[in-house]
Amino acid sequence: MTNTIFPIPAPALADIEGSEQKFPVYRIFCVGRNYHAHAAEMGVAVDKSKEEPFYFTKHPDTLIPSGSEIQYPPQTANYHHEMEFVVAIGKAGFEVSEDKAEELIFGYAAGLDMTRRDLQLKARETRRPWDLGKDFEESSVLAPIVPVAKTGIVNSGKIELAVNGETRQSSDIERLIWNVREIIAHLSKFYHLQPGDLIYTGTPDGVGAVVPGDRITGSIEGIGNVELKIAN
Ligand code: MN
């Protein structure tokens, strides 16, 4: 056994629907502004004919399972929910064509890209990285991954989120500006995608703040549900 000065951190593991086996998470990529209505509410229009998708990353240790109860995070007064369709990569690929992109998919999950919006916007205004707004403890919520063998390739379906039972986000994943094929092909130009990579594909419009005591429930048609409770 390797002699380390402190215990090696436990790997991030995601649940797989209907399986005892776990999905070891290698990296978490997130797509920014991937629904027009959300880009508009953030005050930045997207012109697909002139732009490429962009990404930020979250460390795998930000991952927590659906159903968790967490403390309201530090250093924010505007903690936002972002409901997202998550793609789990099961095969390596580099410079993958759109035609072959779906072969890399292991499965899909419902997820939340929880965001300290005040810190993200402050970073955006000052042209600094978004890490403090995005890449923080317990900020990546993930439901069990549903293998593509069960769902088939998914490119449409309702995506919804409610806070305390009141609907806040309601859209369809067919409204993604860059769809899953396009994202995998594009992202794989910049990274050698690996089994264990997760891609949070972006949130639809309706993002908003949650406060202590709130319960978030989200769903993606044909994929599953995700839940998060903010402790009092
Ligand atoms: Mn997001």
Side-chain angles (χ1 to χ4, degrees):
M1 202 172 138
T2 307
N3 181 12
T4 58
I5 59 165
F6 51 81
I8 297 169
L13 300 174
D15 291 324
I16 299 170
E17 185 77 39
S19 173
E20 294 296 306
Q21 286 192 295
K22 301 287 181 181
F23 181 92
V25 176
Y26 183 48
R27 294 176 292 196
I28 302 175
F29 298 102
C30 302
V31 186
R33 296 175 206 141
N34 203 16
Y35 291 81
H36 286 297
H38 172 63
E41 75 181 350
M42 295 302 291
V44 189
V46 176
D47 181 348
K48 191 178 180 182
S49 69
K50 294 181 186 158
E51 295 176 40
E52 293 185 23
F54 74 96
Y55 311 93
F56 55 91
T57 57
K58 292 181 136 179
H59 196 275
D61 73 5
T62 63
L63 205 68
I64 52 167
S66 173
S68 297
E69 175 168 331
I70 64 168
Q71 298 297 314
Y72 192 87
Q75 298 296 324
T76 183
N78 196 15
Y79 178 46
H80 272 209
H81 55 78
E82 292 194 358
M83 179 67 206
E84 307 213 0
F85 176 47
V86 181
V87 178
I89 298 295
K91 277 166 65 173
F94 180 61
E95 296 180 343
V96 182
S97 68
E98 287 179 29
D99 285 354
K100 304 267 186 197
E102 287 164 343
E103 295 175 11
L104 270 58
I105 299 171
F106 168 76
Y108 305 104
L112 298 170
D113 167 23
M114 298 303 294
T115 301
R116 294 192 284 212
R117 188 73 69 202
D118 41 2
L119 301 189
Q120 184 209 3
L121 293 179
K122 190 176 168 190
R124 198 175 85 175
E125 282 157 21
T126 52
R127 301 186 176 193
R128 289 175 177 170
W130 288 6
D131 299 49
L132 294 181
K134 288 291 192 180
D135 187 13
F136 58 97
E137 292 149 10
E138 302 181 317
S139 68
S140 306
V141 186
L142 193 70
I145 298 165
V146 186
V148 71
K150 289 189 182 171
T151 60
I153 293 297
V154 174
N155 281 302
S156 65
K158 273 191 188 133
I159 179 168
E160 297 186 303
L161 178 142
V163 178
N164 305 325
E166 183 184 314
T167 301
R168 297 265 191 97
Q169 296 189 267
S170 181
S171 187
D172 194 295
I173 55 179
E174 72 184 1
R175 293 187 200 150
L176 284 167
I177 298 172
W178 287 277
N179 64 29
V180 171
R181 281 187 303 280
E182 292 168 322
I183 290 293
I184 289 173
H186 185 265
L187 188 59
S188 75
K189 293 197 237 177
F190 297 88
Y191 297 91
H192 293 73
L193 293 179
Q194 298 294 325
D197 287 339
L198 296 177
I199 305 172
Y200 281 61
T201 58
T203 194
D205 62 311
V207 299
V210 290
V211 297
D214 280 351
R215 177 175 292 280
I216 300 171
T217 52
S219 65
I220 299 175
E221 186 181 0
I223 304 296
N225 304 318
V226 61
E227 288 188 27
L228 182 68
K229 172 89 190 322
I230 319 302
N232 270 304

